[in-house]
Structures are given as C-alpha cells and as structure tokens.
Amino acid sequence: MPRRLWLSLALLAIGAGFLATSRLAGAAPPVGGIFRVGMTGASVQIDPQLAYITSAWWLEYATAAKLFNWSDRGRLVPEVASRVAVSNRGRTYTFFLRKGFRFSDGSPVTARSFSYAIDRVANHDLASPGAQFITDSNGTHIVGAREVSEGVAAHVRGVRVRGRYKLVIRLVKADETFLSKLTMPFFQATSTRLPLTHEVLEGYPSAGPYAFTQNQVNVLTSIRRNPYWKQGPGRRRPGNLAGVDIRWNLDEQTAFEQVEANELDEGPLPAAEVEGVVDRYGVNRTRFWSMPTNCIGYLALNSHRPLFRRVAVRKAINWAVDRTALSGQAGIAAASPWTHLLPPLFPGSITARRLQPYSVHANLAKARKLVGGNVRQLKINVGYRSSGTVNPAQAELVRRALIRLGFRAGNITMKAYSGGDLYTAMGVRGSELDMGVSLGLCGDYPNPYTFLRMFLDPSSPTAVDSPKYRTKLAAVNSLPEDARLKALGKLDLQITRNLAPAAVFRMYNNRYFFSNRVDPHSLAYSGVYEDWSIPALALK
C-alpha cells in the first residue's frame, strides 16, 4: 500500500477543495487505540527536512506544526503564525507567532524553531530535497539560501529572529506561492536537538498532535500523542488515536488477509482482490475507499509542431477522446474521468458537472466540425510508454480516436518509450513527437496559480504561449485569497476550453482497504494532503 510521491464518475459532482465523510451529528468518536498499518515496501525517511514521499508526509501532517497550513476545506490558514505582514513590495514576510505550541519534549516552539528548519533545508551536507523550493531563481528564493546550499555559509542570512516570537524572511524577489510552499513538511517547526548536517533516523521531538517515537528501519515506525499538545489558538486538530504503528516489507497477499481478519487496520490491496472487495463492501461506504489525488493524466500536445499550433486541432482532440474508456484502463476505482487542468481537490478547482469544458465521452460530431476534413492528409507522431498493459492499451484507444477523427491509419506513427524517456522526448524543443499519451502531473503543494502557469510556459513544447492568459493569470493571483481561488478556478476552465493546451482525461485515485475496527465516520479525507487525517481517525 505505498502512497505515491507527487505524484467513480460520481466524483465529478464533489464539492470544491475537499472530500470527507461527515461524523454523525452529536456522536463523539471513540478515543484511544493504536492504528496498525501494513506496508509492502521499505520504510521511509522520517527526518523532517529529508522525507519526500507521501507515506512519510502522511505521518508528518500529524506530527508537524507549521507557520501556515491547509484547513480540511482547502483554505490556507495560519497555524503557529497568528498573522503575517508582507512589505518591501512582496519581498519581506514578518510572521508573528502564537505562544502555546510545544515540542513533544516540552520545549516551546519559537521563531528560532522555523529559522533552524530553513537552515537545515538549505544545508549543503544534509542535502535536503526541500532546498530547491527556497533557492529557485524563477520562484521562491530566500536571501542567502543559495550560499548555504553551496556550502559557503551555515545560516540563511535572509531569515532573522526578532525576539522569541517574531520571524522575518526576506526574498530575492516577490513570489506569490511562498506561503503555499511553507505548508510543506520541510519547513515545519524543528527542534534544535536535531543535528544540522546529518539525517535523523530515530524518534525526535515534534510540535504537532503526534511525534515519532520509534523507527526501526524497514521493520517498524511508530508515532504517539504529543503529551504537550493542548487545544488552543492554531491547535484545533483532534487526537483520537493513541498512536499509529506502521510495519514495513510485508507480503502483499498476507497483509491483505490480515486486514480482512482485523489483524491490521489498513493495508495493501492486491489487484486480483479489488473486484471481490468492491462486491463485499462497496465503494466509499465502510472498508474500501477510492479517493482522488492531486494528480492528472493527460495527452500532451506539442504546440511547437505545425499540427498543434492550431487551437482548433487541439480542441478537436479534446472532443475526440473517450475519457471514460481511457481512465477505465487503470482498473477498478484506480482512476476517474477528468476534463480540465486543475485536479478536483485543488483549492479553487471547479467540479460542477454542468461547467466542465469537455465531455467524459467522445463527441465526434464536435471534434470533426472543428477540423472538417483537414486532417486526412496530415501525419501525426504519437509517443507512449511501453511498460505494463495499461499504457499500450491507452495508446491504442488514442490511435482509434485519431482514426475516427479523420486521420488515415497509415499516417499515424506510434512510438514506444521506456520509463521516463517519453517525458524527455516530449519536453525537448524540436521534438518530432506531436503527442504524448498518458503523461502525469502532480502538485507538491496545492497552488493553482503554479499549476496553471506550467501550461502557459512559452519555453515548453507541452504548453501554449499566450501572453493574454499569462496576463490574466498574474492579475487574478494578486486578488485576496477567497477571490483569488474563485478566479483561478474560472480561469482554469477558460484556459482549458479556449486554449486547449492539453487533453486532460483522468484523475488518479488512491485506493484504501481498512479493517472492521476503523470507525468509518471518523474518516476525514484532505484533498490537499491526499490522505486521511490521522488526528481525526478513530477505532470502534
């Protein structure tokens, strides 16, 4: 049951930004017990500045306390910070911290706790994957972070502590995505007991509702309640469970049977067992759940090639493909049809069925009307991944859709690639590929502005150069938060409908299988974090 890094049709009608099952009105969840999880793979890193896979981040969203965080309903809200003041034309952020947050060893969370986290992220010897998010010349670049990452300094000079509870961070240039990036676990309050230059492998103090208490590599990882976590300003999450134990390197079939027998509370679901589990428990009712991730699958269209310089042809592809058939190749409840750029649980994403820019089934009449008979003589080069059975099957569905649109079969060249070579081939200027089948894109942090901007990048063959929409994107991104998210959601549909930079056809789903001990009313799924809230979980 490894969770991915980055990376049913009824889900098209979900509310924006959040999916959850609601607890029964007036029913308090049971408190206590250890939630037991079985994983088939090797254990993950637990170091807060090194862990970079969603299994680890799932745990860290229970153990971490951050300056800003995402609410269950997809709103960016202050957590340890009570407020922030932005000055110097967007280049200086002054955070005023709340008192009352404590690490699991009892020590207080102060401004130094966040300054130290940034120093660890940037540290050359630690080599945190988070360093890229604060040394980016085209994005967030904290003053002095690059010098630390290059090993010529130990402290990021653009980060200053003013007293115990005021933190000042200076950026090289303004960046609207900065607060969103601070929600990543890399930038959580970090105890100075952690070594600056090398990895933490065992339990350590953390400031969220829970803390890591045990980590036997490839055997067992445990978190338990932070005894100093008390309800208060910024500290609203519950803590129903006494803790979580994750056992690693288990046999997939054996672990599945242990969940079925209530010996584990969550575990892997072998492909051969999915149909039977759905028959016994249904989908999203009691024990089997399928929930969207922040990832989309799409047909990449090379706008630098003559064929797809024409917006009419790009739109025609969007109407010609059968999204239901394409997503169905992934397996039962593993993917769902999707029609536009922002994933369904991104803040601002519009999910109302009547507003979708394209159909989940092919509409050849509209597709043919857009191109007439103009594609019959044209040639098209289509790249696809050759691994497994799903990728070739999706490629064949696309080939058939092109023929139905009007392309001659002899003019369609299908080219197989292994692994990530397809991404490389599609991303190079001058590529001979016109289309790439089933590329995936995920968001590390759920900022719709950043996600949309990638499809308007003039240097990328798989984006569309549109100064008009880049200007619109920049304009709406400067609005107050609620208005910004609403405007970005509308702009997403406009870009997808009017520019058609890609043909998005599916969202990826995570599939979960629980024991009968788990209270289904306690399941609160965060679309931002792409997993169940550990603090909200409860056992019967």
Side-chain angles (χ1 to χ4, degrees), residues 3 157 245 262 378 420 438 478 483 505 533 540:
R3 291 169 167 83
R157 58 188 172 87
D245 283 346
N262 299 322
L378 298 179
S438 197
S478 63
F505 68 87
S533 167
K540 296 177 181 176

Side-chain angles (χ1 to χ4, degrees), residues 86-93 170-171 174:
V86 183
S87 58
N88 192 23
R89 291 180 292 179
R91 297 198 299 269
T92 301
Y93 287 73
R170 291 185 296 122
L171 305 182

Side-chain angles (χ1 to χ4, degrees), residues 130 257 403 444:
E257 292 170 0
I403 293 172
D444 272 338

Side-chain angles (χ1 to χ4, degrees), residues 167-242:
L167 180 73
V168 180
I169 301 178
R170 291 185 296 122
L171 305 182
V172 173
K173 65 176 184 178
D175 176 33
E176 299 87 347
T177 69
F178 180 50
L179 290 182
S180 295
K181 289 173 183 171
L182 289 181
T183 67
M184 289 190 285
F186 300 125
F187 306 108
Q188 66 184 272
T190 301
S191 169
T192 54
R193 288 180 54 185
L194 276 66
L196 183 66
T197 60
H198 61 270
E199 180 178 3
V200 172
L201 298 174
E202 298 179 350
Y204 58 86
S206 58
Y210 294 84
F212 287 99
T213 56
Q214 185 176 185
N215 188 48
Q216 300 175 45
V217 176
N218 293 332
V219 178
L220 174 68
T221 300
S222 299
I223 66 172
R224 294 293 184 267
R225 284 192 192 123
N226 174 356
Y228 297 95
W229 175 271
K230 307 297 181 185
Q231 290 287 328
R235 302 184 302 280
R236 301 299 184 191
R237 286 181 284 173
N240 299 321
L241 298 171

